[in-house]
Amino acid sequence: MSVDFNIFDAQKFSKFTFLSDKIDTVVKTNEIGTLILDSYISNLQNETQNEEEVKDVCVLDSYIAEISDLYGFDVKNHLENEGCKGKSGSTLKISLPKLNADLWENLPNNILVVGLGEKTLDDCRKAGLELGRGTVGTQSACVPFVDSLTDEQQIAFFDGILLSCYRQTRIASTNDLKDPVVNIFVLTQNEERVSENLQESRRIAEATILARTLECVPSNVKNPKWLAENFEELVKQCENLDGELVFECMNADELRERGFNAILAVGSASVTPPCLVTIKWIPKNVRANTPKIVFVGKGITYDTGGLSLKPRESMVPMKTDMSGTATVVSAILSIAKAGLNVEVTAVATMAENAMGASSYRPGDVVKTYAGSTVEILNTDAEGRMVMADGLDYAISDLQADIVVDVATLTGAATFGLGRFHAATYSNDNEVWNKMSKASSVIGENVWRMPLVDDYREVLHSPIADICHVETEGTVGAGSITAALFLEHFVKGHKWCHLDIAGVGRAGKPMGEVSTNQPTGFGAALLYGFVKEYDK
Ligand code: BES
Ligand code: ZN
Ligand code: ZN
C-alpha cells in the first residue's frame, strides 16, 4: 500500500499587498505585526582619502528618522548598541514590551532589521530569506524599503522571501511546521515596477519549489509512470500561455519499437517500465536568430545500482536520482509561464534502476537510440545510459542547436566540489558564458570543469564503440570521465552538462531543506539560462 501524495497540495505562499500610503499611516493601521527595516554595510572607500578611516558603516533606509519618531527611541543608536552592522543574512529582532502607557499602541510590536550586506544579488536574496524566516507563524509584516532597490535586487529579494515559504513535504499524521507570514505589505510608489518584479520572482522561486517537491516524493510513490502523469497534469494546468506547451510521452512499447535500448536496459528489472517524456515550448513569437534549446534530464526514480548493487547507506537518498528531470520540467513550465520567446524542449528520460532476473548486466553491450554500441561495466553508472538515449534523441530528432543536460550523475562531483557548486562542462564558450551569467543572477553556483582530452582513451572498449565507465581505475576523475562519455553523444553540437549530484541534496540542514533532502538546484538556473537568450 502506498501513501497518499499529492504534489498539487498548494504550497502556502505569503500574500503580497502593495501600498502607496505614507509610512506612518501604514504603520498605524493596527494590521501590521512586524515592521521590516533594512540595513546594509556601505564601504566608504571612494569617499575618503585616508585608507585608515575606511570602515564598515551600517546605513538604514530613509524611514529611520520617521520610525524613530513614531516609536520615541533612536532606532539606529539601538542597532549600534546591539552590534548590528547590517551584514548579509543577519537579522535583529526588536520585540517591544507591552507598556502601560499607550505609547506604542497601534504600532507594530516587532521590528525586524534585515542585513543587506553590500546589496549584491546574493545579499538581497539572503535578506528576503531571513525576512521570511524571521516572520514565520505571524500574521503580517510591512516592508517599506523596496523602492530603493534596483529591478534585479528586487527580484532576488522577493525570490528569497518566496523560497522561505517552502515547506518540505511531510507524510505524517502531525505537522508542526509553522506557516509563512500570512500578509506582506509592500510600501511602494511604483506598484507597476514592483509587481512585475515580484511576478518574475514567482516564476523563479516556483521552479525551485516544484523541483524540490517532485524530488522529495518517496520512490514507493513515484515511478516513471507517476512522474509522467504528474508532468502531464502540470502542463495541463498552465493557462493563458503566450504560445503552445506540448506534452508527449513514449511508453516502454514505443521505446522498444524505436530503439531506445539504453533506457530500456536500465529499466529492465523494474516492475514499473521506463518512459520518455518531451515537453515542447513553442512561443507565439520566436525571437529572430535564437537557437533551439533542448534540455535533457536524468530521471532515475530509484537507483539501487542494479546488479552492481550500491552499499546500503548510499542507496538511501536515491529517491532524488530523478532530480535532472524535475529540474528540466520545472524550468520549462516557468519558461512557458513567462512567455520567453525562445523555443525550448525538455526531455525527461525515466526509468527505475532496480535489480532482478531481467536486469542488464556488467559485460552487456547495448545499442543506443542513434546506434552507438556501449559496453556496460557497472550497472550503477545507469544515469549516463539513459542520458545517452536522451542526447541522441535531442540531436537527431529534436534538431537541437544547444543541448543542456542535467543529471545527478556521479558521487565524484561531490568529492571534487562539495555541495555549493555544480560540476559544469561545456564545449562552447558562449554557452558557458550564458550559463555563468544566469548563475550569478539566479544565485545557483556553477564551476566549469575541464573536458580533459587525455582522459578520453580510458573509455575505449575492446568490443563496442565506447565503454561507459573507465576501463581501468587509472584516471580516477569520475565526474570528468562521465562528462566525456556524454560528450560522445552530443556529436559536436553546442552543449552544457550539469552534474548536480553534489548540489542536488543538502549535506546539512540548509534553511527549509533538511539533511539529505533535495534542494531543487538547477530549475531556476535553466530558467535564467533561457532568459539570457531572450534579450
Ligand atoms: N546516482 C548515482 C550518483 C550519485 C551519487 C548521485 C551520490 C547522488 C549522490 C549514479 O548513478 C552512480 O551511481 N554513479 C556512480 C558511477 C560509477 C559506478 C562509475 C558513482 O558515482 O559511484
Ligand atoms: Zn547509479
Ligand atoms: Zn544514478
Side-chain angles (χ1 to χ4, degrees):
M1 252 293 270
S2 237
V3 293
D4 277 341
F5 198 104
N6 184 357
I7 61 156
F8 298 98
D9 282 348
Q11 184 85 30
K12 280 189 191 131
F13 288 104
S14 305
K15 181 170 175 279
F16 288 78
T17 308
F18 300 112
L19 303 171
S20 61
D21 306 322
K22 282 195 150 138
I23 179 109
D24 58 342
T25 329
V26 174
V27 165
K28 284 183 188 159
T29 57
N30 216 354
E31 269 184 61
I32 292 159
T34 309
L35 178 67
I36 316 286
L37 296 180
D38 72 322
S39 67
Y40 64 94
I41 299 168
S42 90
N43 195 318
L44 297 180
Q45 202 141 16
N46 300 334
E47 295 160 29
T48 174
Q49 301 296 320
N50 186 351
E51 282 263 324
E52 277 179 13
E53 277 175 28
V54 172
K55 61 174 200 229
D56 293 338
V57 292
C58 175
V59 183
L60 279 156
D61 77 286
S62 52
Y63 295 112
I64 192 67
E66 281 161 270
I67 300 300
S68 294
D69 277 355
L70 275 169
Y71 281 91
F73 72 95
D74 185 339
V75 178
K76 189 164 179 202
N77 178 260
H78 180 75
L79 297 189
E80 275 163 15
N81 291 342
E82 292 289 331
C84 172
K85 290 241 179 86
K87 250 184 68 190
S88 164
S90 69
T91 55
L92 180 76
K93 192 166 191 170
I94 309 169
S95 289
L96 301 170
K98 220 172 169 36
L99 293 186
N100 289 336
D102 58 0
L103 185 62
W104 290 333
E105 217 174 324
N106 293 339
L107 293 180
N109 49 7
N110 290 304
I111 301 176
L112 183 73
V113 184
V114 297
L116 280 170
E118 294 276 351
K119 283 195 182 178
T120 66
L121 297 185
D122 279 346
D123 290 341
C124 293
R125 193 171 298 104
K126 268 192 204 158
L129 272 166
E130 293 309 328
L131 182 164
R133 289 168 187 163
T135 52
V136 150
T138 65
Q139 265 303 311
S140 59
C142 174
V143 191
F145 59 81
V146 294
D147 282 349
S148 65
L149 303 176
T150 64
D151 288 345
E152 279 196 323
Q153 286 172 335
Q154 279 186 7
I155 292 167
F157 176 66
F158 288 130
D159 182 30
I161 298 180
L162 294 166
L163 286 176
S164 79
C165 297
Y166 170 68
R167 295 291 176 275
Q168 214 169 265
T169 316
R170 303 231 322 127
I171 310 163
S173 20
T174 56
N175 189 348
D176 51 10
L177 296 177
K178 283 190 184 159
D179 286 339
V181 52
V182 181
N183 291 299
I184 295 180
F185 297 99
V186 179
L187 208 60
T188 175
Q189 301 308 316
N190 195 344
E191 181 173 335
E192 204 182 326
R193 173 172 96 100
V194 180
S195 70
E196 241 171 58
N197 289 336
L198 173 63
Q199 220 186 346
E200 176 67 4
S201 309
R202 268 191 204 289
R203 292 186 282 253
I204 296 170
E206 282 177 7
T208 306
I209 286 175
L210 173 61
R212 282 183 191 171
T213 306
L214 289 162
E215 290 157 3
C216 225
V217 179
S219 297
N220 59 334
V221 176
K222 78 179 160 205
N223 51 49
K225 181 164 175 260
W226 185 96
L227 273 184
E229 284 170 359
N230 278 282
F231 291 162
E232 183 169 21
E233 188 55 37
L234 284 163
V235 168
K236 270 196 204 140
Q237 288 192 2
C238 291
E239 284 168 347
N240 302 325
L241 299 176
D242 235 355
E244 247 190 300
L245 195 60
V246 186
F247 172 94
E248 255 175 44
C249 180
M250 277 185 242
N251 63 24
D253 289 337
E254 288 161 279
L255 292 176
R256 209 163 289 119
E257 257 164 50
R258 300 187 57 175
F260 286 88
N261 301 314
I263 298 176
L264 289 163
V266 170
S268 59
S270 173
V271 291
T272 43
C275 60
L276 185 141
V277 163
T278 41
I279 303 172
K280 205 175 262 186
W281 166 239
I282 310 156
K284 226 177 247 160
N285 305 306
V286 182
R287 185 178 284 270
N289 304 320
T290 49
K292 238 189 240 170
I293 300 175
V294 177
F295 299 149
V296 184
K298 167 175 172 182
I300 299 299
T301 57
Y302 196 69
D303 183 10
T304 65
L307 290 178
S308 316
L309 194 66
K310 277 187 185 300
R312 63 173 178 263
E313 290 79 14
S314 4
M315 209 186 288
V316 181
M318 285 303 138
K319 69 171 185 183
T320 63
D321 212 19
M322 39 56 77
S323 299
T325 51
T327 303
V328 300
V329 171
S330 305
I332 203 165
L333 295 175
S334 281
I335 288 164
K337 286 178 194 162
L340 300 190
N341 299 311
V342 183
E343 255 186 272
V344 185
T345 306
V347 178
T349 56
M350 293 174 300
E352 184 190 8
N353 191 20
M355 174 199 215
S358 55
S359 286
Y360 78 134
R361 313 160 194 79
D364 283 0
V365 173
V366 174
K367 192 184 240 176
T368 70
Y369 179 62
S372 296
T373 51
V374 181
E375 184 183 7
I376 307 299
L377 295 183
N378 183 332
T379 59
D380 195 12
E382 83 300 334
R384 62 195 82 184
M385 293 304 291
V386 299
M387 296 303 277
D389 268 356
L391 292 170
D392 272 354
Y393 182 59
I395 301 296
S396 57
D397 286 42
L398 303 175
Q399 272 114 36
D401 296 314
I402 297 173
V403 186
V404 180
D405 82 70
V406 189
T408 45
L409 206 61
T410 66
T414 322
F415 296 136
L417 291 175
R419 303 232 172 241
F420 295 117
H421 288 80
T424 306
Y425 301 80
S426 182
N427 58 2
D428 185 88
N429 286 339
E430 200 188 316
V431 171
W432 159 254
N433 287 339
K434 299 263 195 222
M435 192 57 82
S436 177
K437 174 77 204 305
S439 159
S440 59
V441 172
I442 296 293
E444 296 183 334
N445 300 326
V446 292
W447 191 261
R448 192 171 186 179
M449 300 280 286
L451 291 156
V452 182
D453 206 31
D454 283 347
Y455 295 172
R456 279 176 218 280
E457 65 185 35
V458 300
L459 296 176
H460 171 79
S461 163
I463 178 169
D465 291 330
I466 191 165
C467 240
H468 86 321
V469 294
E470 237 182 295
T471 30
E472 290 159 33
T474 47
V475 169
S479 176
I480 299 179
T481 48
L484 289 170
F485 175 80
L486 295 186
E487 194 191 19
H488 170 88
F489 300 88
V490 177
K491 301 192 173 84
H493 285 70
K494 293 182 182 182
W495 162 71
C496 184
H497 159 58
L498 297 160
D499 188 340
I500 58 163
V503 287
R505 275 179 309 127
K508 61 176 174 77
M510 271 170 53
E512 291 65 37
V513 179
S514 41
T515 309
N516 265 334
Q517 297 303 311
T519 59
F521 182 100
L525 177 65
L526 292 195
Y527 172 80
F529 175 75
V530 172
K531 211 154 182 224
E532 289 299 313
Y533 288 91
D534 191 22
K535 281 184 171 166

